[in-house]
Amino acid sequence: MGENYLFPKTAEEQEAEGQLTEAMHTFNAAIKHAAQCGFEIELRPGTWSFTTYTRTPVPYIDLTARLPGRHVQPELVEI
């Protein structure tokens, strides 16, 4: 359920919200496709503790995708 705001969102806030929504759709579709292709997917939540633009930590997702039986050094992906 969405949040109610006393004031309308600014154009910048609307753009950020739209980008997040689009990114999540793309991310979820990519995860689903990788799983259908046989990848083992591991997601780990993390946080950026030190930011200059917010007082609270900013969440990010660490993703590892590997094919069973293949041992390759995983690459860290930050989104």
Side-chain angles (χ1 to χ4, degrees), residues 32-53:
K32 181 179 178 181
H33 186 245
Q36 289 171 338
C37 291
F39 281 88
E40 294 175 347
I41 309 295
E42 181 182 350
L43 297 173
R44 292 176 304 277
T47 55
W48 286 310
S49 297
F50 303 103
T51 61
T52 59
Y53 43 85

Side-chain angles (χ1 to χ4, degrees), residues 2 5 7 15 18 24 33 35 50 55 63:
Y5 293 96
F7 302 100
E15 180 183 358
M24 275 317 282
H33 186 245
F50 303 103
R55 290 181 180 187
L63 166 71

Side-chain angles (χ1 to χ4, degrees), residues 2-9 13 17:
E3 294 183 33
N4 292 328
Y5 293 96
L6 297 175
F7 302 100
K9 295 177 196 162
E13 290 167 340
E17 185 177 52

